[in-house]
Amino acid sequence: MKILRDVIFIFMLALLVSCTKRENNELDNSKILNNINLDSKKDDDIYDRGFLIKELKNNDLIPYDLAYLTKKPESIFVYVIKSEWALREAISNYEKYGESSGEIPKLENLGKREFIFERHYDYYGNYIYEKRKTVAGYIYESIKYDKYNRPIEKIEIYEDSYVKKLTSMIVIEYAPVKQSDNILEAKIYKADKNGDKREINIVRSGKKENIYFFNDNEFYFENNQITKINTPDKKWIFKYANNTFLSEIGISHAGVGYESIKMEYEKGELVQCINVFGKSKSRYKFIRYDKFGNWIEMQIFHGDNTDFTDTIIREIKYYE
């Protein structure tokens, strides 16, 4: 069940986002901070089926993603140190879009750290707040939970030099849990700052033999490891070496093509991921880990280049 809690909601999140039309209502950032819930409790295991509506961001199934974690922390801050090539690309993008989030990219900033992402978790490992940098501004997100540790509200705010606005507010309401049919049902609403809401989706989730599902999405497990995911637009295959180490992820994108992600290990430690998608190839090399097995420094290579384009630094703080 723990693996499921750490896997499934990424697809649920995509479903919520696709159902939500952005609004231009303004909302103060204090609304986000007020939604941080550090007092959530886990009372009855039956409500643990709320894992199907758990919050997971940035494709945490793939080791090189910014928020991939082997142990959930209290907070994580992510910075990038751009190479000269990457910095020139950032300057080109700034000239193209005419906007910048934070400091304007300049060649004299070569070697300096640039903030790109932060996320905070409660004591139980629930994602509660996130800030991420975009080309033009910042996006803030927060999740509020009920007493059963299930998310009940998700808020997104966009901010740049000119405007701060509410772009999305999602409310989740759960039907009473029925032990007899082992089905969890939740209604998803789009809401506004005045409290008005309208239903945009109904989610039904449960288990059939070794297959967990919500709506049209299916998740297969063997030996407590995820082996396959089927969604309407993607099919995932997970392969393991010696039934222990994740060795490859294959993703079939409907109408687009096949993506392969291969992992390389040394002395039981993941040292590199190679992503091939069509003619595009990227390599992610892990330089340093902390004592909990979370990587804290990674270099990114594009194509067959031997010089890396970016260095990613993660600062991770844990609950004591």
Side-chain angles (χ1 to χ4, degrees):
M1 295 293 281
K2 183 179 185 299
I3 293 178
L4 288 170
R5 290 197 301 271
D6 291 339
V7 169
I8 296 178
F9 191 74
I10 185 172
F11 301 98
M12 185 61 215
L13 177 67
L15 183 62
L16 297 184
V17 172
S18 67
C19 294
T20 304
K21 181 179 179 181
R22 291 175 175 253
E23 301 260 350
N24 292 327
N25 301 322
E26 292 189 0
L27 188 70
D28 189 84
N29 282 353
S30 62
K31 174 67 173 175
I32 284 183
L33 299 178
N34 290 337
N35 282 333
I36 295 180
N37 176 14
L38 294 176
D39 299 317
S40 55
K41 298 179 176 62
K42 188 176 292 296
D43 294 346
D44 190 333
D45 187 61
I46 186 172
Y47 289 95
D48 197 41
R49 274 174 275 170
F51 66 77
L52 293 171
I53 319 291
K54 283 290 181 182
E55 177 63 18
L56 185 68
K57 296 295 303 290
N58 288 357
N59 207 345
D60 294 15
L61 295 173
I62 300 176
Y64 54 74
D65 282 297
L66 299 183
Y68 180 88
L69 297 163
T70 58
K71 175 181 172 60
K72 292 293 179 65
E74 178 180 351
S75 62
I76 175 172
F77 289 79
V78 185
Y79 304 88
V80 61
I81 303 175
K82 292 185 173 70
S83 66
E84 182 175 347
W85 175 88
L87 195 55
R88 290 187 184 279
E89 284 290 300
I91 294 171
S92 176
N93 288 336
Y94 169 73
E95 293 172 348
K96 178 179 179 180
Y97 294 105
E99 297 283 351
S100 176
S101 53
E103 188 176 353
I104 297 174
K106 300 176 183 178
L107 279 179
E108 52 260 41
N109 292 332
L110 185 64
K112 294 182 179 180
R113 298 199 315 178
E114 176 186 341
F115 168 86
I116 53 175
F117 172 80
E118 73 176 90
R119 184 183 292 177
H120 300 261
Y121 298 82
D122 67 16
Y123 185 79
Y124 301 99
N126 297 314
Y127 149 67
I128 52 178
Y129 170 72
E130 177 181 291
K131 176 183 178 181
R132 61 182 182 271
K133 187 177 183 181
T134 68
V135 173
Y138 293 94
I139 293 178
Y140 305 84
E141 290 185 356
S142 70
I143 298 288
K144 185 177 181 180
Y145 296 83
D146 67 11
K147 67 177 182 179
Y148 296 113
N149 226 25
R150 304 179 303 185
I152 55 176
E153 183 179 271
K154 175 178 178 291
I155 289 178
E156 178 184 286
I157 290 176
Y158 170 81
E159 182 180 29
D160 59 26
S161 302
Y162 308 102
V163 67
K164 178 168 57 181
K165 59 186 179 182
L166 171 69
T167 55
S168 173
M169 180 182 289
I170 295 296
V171 175
I172 305 173
E173 294 183 356
Y174 299 87
V177 177
K178 297 179 180 179
Q179 291 177 300
S180 57
D181 59 11
N182 200 34
I183 297 295
L184 176 69
E185 182 174 294
K187 291 185 178 181
I188 315 298
Y189 297 89
K190 175 184 174 182
D192 60 29
K193 64 178 182 179
N194 298 319
D196 296 327
K197 61 184 183 180
R198 62 180 178 85
E199 184 178 315
I200 58 175
N201 197 23
I202 296 178
V203 174
R204 287 175 56 82
S205 59
K207 180 182 179 182
K208 299 179 294 186
E209 297 180 351
N210 69 325
I211 305 173
Y212 293 83
F213 69 89
F214 73 83
N215 290 2
D216 296 329
N217 304 277
E218 297 179 333
F219 303 81
Y220 296 75
F221 287 80
E222 292 181 10
N223 300 321
N224 208 32
Q225 293 176 325
I226 188 165
T227 57
K228 183 168 63 173
I229 301 174
N230 290 335
T231 74
D233 59 347
K234 292 181 184 179
K235 295 185 182 300
W236 301 60
I237 297 293
F238 298 83
K239 297 180 181 180
Y240 298 86
N242 301 321
N243 294 321
T244 304
F245 298 110
L246 181 63
S247 60
E248 183 177 358
I249 301 174
I251 310 172
S252 298
H253 301 262
V256 179
Y258 183 78
E259 179 179 5
S260 172
I261 304 165
K262 294 184 178 181
M263 292 70 173
E264 296 181 0
Y265 296 83
E266 289 183 5
K267 298 180 180 180
E269 187 174 81
L270 180 63
V271 295
Q272 183 170 257
C273 288
I274 300 175
N275 179 298
V276 179
F277 191 6
K279 296 182 179 180
S280 175
K281 178 181 178 181
S282 298
R283 184 162 56 93
Y284 304 83
K285 186 177 181 180
F286 303 100
I287 307 301
R288 291 188 296 138
Y289 287 86
D290 66 16
K291 64 180 181 180
F292 295 106
N294 286 319
W295 64 265
I296 54 177
E297 182 176 350
M298 175 181 71
Q299 294 174 340
I300 302 176
F301 301 76
H302 293 289
D304 294 319
N305 293 331
T306 56
D307 296 327
F308 58 87
T309 59
D310 296 291
T311 299
I312 305 297
I313 303 294
R314 303 201 304 180
E315 295 181 352
I316 305 175
K317 180 181 179 181
Y318 298 89
Y319 285 99
E320 296 181 357

